[in-house]
C-alpha cells in the first residue's frame, strides 16, 4: 500500500495553512486543497491535531534532509549556509506563500503549551537544529577556524535562540531577514572565528 | 470623568487573556473578569480588537516606565538589569499566570500580519526596547566600559532579536529563561565589554 494519499494530504495542509492560518483552518479547507472528501481525510486522521502531527513530522524530515547535507568547503562555510537556509526571506515573488507559512508556524508555536503533539515536534526541530550547529562549531574548533574557548553547545543554543527571534520578529513586526542575517554573520565573524580566518561565502552579506 | 472603568477593563483583559488565550477569549470573558456587562464593555470599545489596542497601549506604557528607570551604577549594570527584567522566569508560584500571558502575547504576535493594530503596538514595543538598549550601549562606550568598535544600533537590534527568540522558545518548547539569560550575559561579557571591566551585578548568573 502506497503512502501517496498521506503525501497529498501533507501538501494540501501546507496550502491550507498558508491560505487560512492555523486557527481558521478546517479539515474541509485541507480536503478542498487535495480534491478529497472530508470523510477520506478522516479515514487517515482522527482530528486536525493528528493530521498536523503527521504534517510536522514530514516538515521535520524535510528540514533534516536540507540541513544534513550543506554546501561548503569547511564547517564555518557550512554554518553560514545553514543560517542562510533558516533566514532566507520568504519567496512571495514566485508565488510561494512562505510569509503566510511562517505566520502559521508561529501560531502553532503559540499553541504548543496546549497541544503536547505540537510541543513535541517543535522541540524536535529545536534540538535537531541545535545539534547540527553544535557539530559545525565543534568541527570548526577542531580545524582551527573557531576559537577554542567557545563551548559548542552554548554557542549552538545562543544561535538557535537568535534564529527563533529573527523568525518571530519577521512575523510580528516585519523585521527584515536580511538585517537579522547580517548581524548574525557579524557576530560569528567577530566572536567565533579565529583572528585572520577569512571565510569566503559569496552569498553572505558583508 | 475618570479613566477608572477603562483601567478596570484593562486589568480584566489581562486575566481573561491568561485564562482563555487570545484566540478563545471573548468580550464576555473580559466582562466576567470585571463584573461588568458586555454592553458596558461595548460602550467603551467597539470590538475585541479595539479593546486589545487600548490594552497593548497600557502594557507599553507600563513597559516603558519599568525600563526607563533601571537600577545600576553604570550603563552596563543597567543593561544587565534590563535583560533580567525581560528574561525573568514566569512567576507562576505566587499565582500570577505569567506563562499563560507570555503565550497569549505570542498568539498576538502571530496575529500581527492580519491585524495592523497589533503590528503597530508590537513594533512600538520592539522599537522602544531597541532604543533603550542602544542608549545604554552608547553610554557604555562613552564611559569606556563597552568596546568602541561596536555599533550601538546593531548591538541593540541583535540583543532585541535574541530576547524575542528566548520568549518564543520559552512558549513553544519550554526552553528555560535561566539558560537564555546566562548565554546573553556571557555574550555581553565576552563580546561587548572592554577587557578587565568587571561589572558586579549579583543577580546575574555567572
Amino acid at each position: 500500500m502506497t503512502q501517496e494519499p498521506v503525501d497529498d494530504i501533507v501538501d494540501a495542509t501546507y496550502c491550507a495553512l498558508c491560505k487560512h492560518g492555523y486557527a481558521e483552518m478546517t479539515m474541509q479547507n485541507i480536503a478542498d486543497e487535495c480534491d478529497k472528501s472530508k470523510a477520506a481525510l478522516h479515514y487517515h486522521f482522527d482530528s486536525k491535531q493528528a493530521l498536523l502531527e503527521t504534517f510536522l513530522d514530514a516538515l521535520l524530515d524535510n528540514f533534516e534532509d536540507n540541513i544534513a547535507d550543506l554546501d561548503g568547503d569547511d564547517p564555518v562555510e557550512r554554518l553560514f549556509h545553514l543560517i542562510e537556509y533558516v533566514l532566507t526571506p520568504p519567496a512571495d515573488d514566485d508565488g510561494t506563500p512562505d510569509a503566510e507559512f511562517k505566520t502559521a508556524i508561529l501560531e502553532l508555536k503559540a499553541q504548543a503549551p496546549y497541544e503536547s503533539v505540537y510541543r513535541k515536534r517543535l522541540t524536535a526541530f529545536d534540538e535537531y537544529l541545535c545539534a547540527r550547529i553544535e557539530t559545525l562549531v565543534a568541527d570548526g574548533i577542531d580545524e582551527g577556524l573557531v576559537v577554542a574557548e567557545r563551548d559548542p553547545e552554548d554557542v549552538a543554543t545562543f544561535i538557535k535562540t537568535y534564529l527563533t527571534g529573527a523568525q518571530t520578529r519577521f512575523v510580528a513586526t516585519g523585521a527584515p531577514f536580511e538585517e537579522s542575517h547580517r548581524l548574525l554573520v557579524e557576530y560569528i565573524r567577530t566572536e567565533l572565528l579565529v583572528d585572520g580566518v577569512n571565510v569566503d561565502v559569496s552569498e553572505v552579506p558583508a
Side-chain angles (χ1 to χ4, degrees), chain A residues 87-103:
Chain A
L87 295 186
T88 294
D92 269 349
D93 287 344
D94 68 6
T96 313
D98 203 27
E100 285 76 7
F101 185 65
K102 287 187 194 309
T103 303

Side-chain angles (χ1 to χ4, degrees), chain A residues 11 51-52 57 63 86 99-100 109 112 144 146 196 199-200:
Chain A
D11 289 347
L51 196 158
L52 281 165
D57 281 339
F63 181 72
V86 177
E100 285 76 7
K109 287 180 180 174
V146 172
V199 175
D200 179 35

Side-chain angles (χ1 to χ4, degrees), chain A residues 61-93:
Chain A
D61 283 347
N62 185 44
F63 181 72
E64 289 184 2
D65 286 348
N66 280 316
I67 70 170
D69 198 26
L70 295 159
D71 285 339
D73 290 335
D74 63 54
V76 175
E77 275 193 29
R78 288 194 283 279
L79 177 59
F80 280 139
H81 279 125
L82 169 59
I83 288 165
E84 204 188 346
Y85 173 71
V86 177
L87 295 186
T88 294
D92 269 349
D93 287 344

Side-chain angles (χ1 to χ4, degrees), chain A residues 109-137:
Chain A
K109 287 180 180 174
Q111 288 300 311
Y114 312 116
E115 301 283 354
S116 61
V117 156
Y118 304 163
R119 167 156 286 184
K120 195 176 149 196
R121 266 70 189 177
L122 292 167
T123 303
F125 267 93
D126 205 71
E127 285 172 356
Y128 191 82
L129 182 54
C130 191
R132 194 75 185 92
I133 298 173
E134 188 180 336
T135 302
L136 292 170
V137 172

Side-chain angles (χ1 to χ4, degrees), chain A residues 4-19:
Chain A
E4 276 176 26
V6 171
D7 289 347
D8 282 354
I9 295 170
V10 163
D11 289 347
T13 304
Y14 179 89
C15 296
L17 272 175
C18 293
K19 273 192 195 163

Side-chain angles (χ1 to χ4, degrees), chain A residues 3-17 19-20 25-45 51 55:
Chain A
Q3 279 294 305
E4 276 176 26
V6 171
D7 289 347
D8 282 354
I9 295 170
V10 163
D11 289 347
T13 304
Y14 179 89
C15 296
L17 272 175
K19 273 192 195 163
H20 306 282
M25 184 186 73
T26 62
M27 290 291 260
Q28 185 60 57
N29 296 144
I30 301 169
D32 291 345
E33 292 293 331
C34 56
D35 294 325
K36 284 185 167 54
S37 67
K38 234 174 88 173
L41 247 65
H42 279 290
Y43 173 81
H44 295 285
F45 303 103
L51 196 158
F55 175 73

